[in-house]
Amino acid sequence: RALAHTPTEARYLAVYLTYAFRFEQRRRHALLQAVFGERNDAQGTLRRAAERITQRLHGSGGSAGGAGMLALAGGGGVALNDALCENIFALFCCVVNREFVLVVGKPGTSKSLSVEIIRTAMSTDREKLREELGQLPALSTNYYQCSPLSTSAGLQQLYETAHRQSATDPSQLIALVVLDELGLADLAPDRPIKVLHTELEHTAERRLGLRADNTGGRGSGGRVRPENAPVATIALSNWTVDA
């Protein structure tokens, strides 16, 4: 409700999140026209929704230097440009639903800043804001700096830690894995990205298993088994990563 006020706006945002974000602007426009017709307001709806959630997540949404600016704790401000707002909109939707999201962009396109705003806004000490946004769980962030020296074992250990965190109480905690500079890991001889591929495949299987299993994926004592605990993943890269 905080993002879309009408069913039409909800459809616009759903198509943006699942399809349009994958394309550059010109191809996005063609896609939206094909889906909704020439007289659609999908782009305007996205801009308004993205600005609303960005302002809300960054705090009071107060201005620091004029309209279209976000206040920073240390003074100054950050411009509410399209890249920042689109990144935060996509990250927020995917994180709260524990979906994988890959953000690709050149340096300076607000990738790291977007993650930091999400991480700070949904931290354990922002309980009031999380309640206002719909009783959202807190984030527990597991950060991994990728490099050409990254290993499969290191990435596997990171995900095992995240699953154990999530298993404590998925309704109160979202375990988030942040893979920074994922493109560099693609250059590693050990090919650690294969761990990510396996994790994403198992995530889909776990979700189906959780719905079909009468125990809800829980072990003795009603606790969620770590291997069934959902984990959110944000991957950042300066260039397109070979699937």
Side-chain angles (χ1 to χ4, degrees):
R1 292 179 182 176
L3 297 177
H5 296 151
T6 68
T8 298
E9 289 188 351
R11 288 192 291 270
Y12 287 156
L13 298 180
V15 169
Y16 251 108
L17 188 63
T18 54
Y19 296 106
F21 276 145
R22 302 168 188 259
F23 305 118
E24 47 85 20
Q25 287 292 345
R26 183 169 53 83
R27 295 184 64 192
R28 283 188 197 179
H29 184 67
L31 170 68
L32 295 170
Q33 281 192 333
V35 174
F36 298 113
E38 292 188 4
R39 302 183 64 181
N40 70 77
D41 189 33
Q43 186 173 356
T45 298
L46 172 67
R47 183 179 294 110
R48 291 188 294 271
E51 287 185 1
R52 283 198 299 269
I53 195 63
T54 300
Q55 291 173 335
R56 195 71 178 275
L57 289 176
H58 205 281
S60 64
S63 177
M69 298 289 287
L70 287 176
L72 291 178
V78 175
L80 274 175
N81 57 52
D82 288 345
L84 176 63
C85 293
E86 288 186 6
N87 286 349
I88 290 179
F89 170 78
L91 294 182
F92 176 75
C93 292
C94 290
V95 167
V96 298
N97 288 288
R98 296 176 172 88
E99 296 286 354
F100 169 77
V101 58
L102 169 61
V103 182
V104 178
K106 296 179 180 179
T109 52
S110 304
K111 300 188 301 296
S112 297
L113 176 60
S114 304
V115 174
E116 181 61 20
I117 290 175
I118 292 286
R119 186 193 66 78
T120 302
M122 296 181 64
S123 62
T124 55
D125 60 348
R126 300 294 295 277
E127 184 176 0
K128 182 178 180 180
L129 176 60
R130 288 187 286 106
E131 288 180 354
E132 292 174 353
L133 291 171
Q135 301 292 334
L136 297 179
L139 279 185
S140 175
T141 306
N142 301 271
Y143 182 86
Y144 188 87
Q145 177 62 56
C146 300
S147 78
L149 301 178
S150 296
T151 64
S152 298
L155 197 55
Q156 183 65 48
Q157 184 177 18
L158 181 76
Y159 271 104
E160 290 174 356
T161 299
H163 283 297
R164 287 195 297 270
Q165 292 173 347
S166 184
T168 56
D169 189 351
S171 66
Q172 297 298 319
L173 182 74
I174 296 175
L176 171 64
V177 171
V178 178
L179 306 175
D180 200 1
E181 299 286 2
L182 182 67
L184 295 179
D186 200 30
L187 305 176
D190 196 37
R191 306 294 290 176
I193 289 184
K194 64 187 178 185
V195 174
L196 177 59
H197 292 168
T198 301
E199 176 65 27
L200 297 180
E201 291 173 0
H202 288 175
T203 295
E205 294 172 358
R206 279 190 294 266
R207 286 182 174 174
L208 293 174
L210 282 170
R211 291 168 183 166
D213 188 350
N214 290 333
T215 66
R218 298 175 183 270
S220 59
R223 292 174 61 87
V224 175
R225 292 191 292 267
E227 64 271 18
N228 287 326
V231 172
T233 299
I234 296 174
L236 309 177
S237 180
N238 291 341
W239 60 81
T240 302
V241 179
D242 188 359

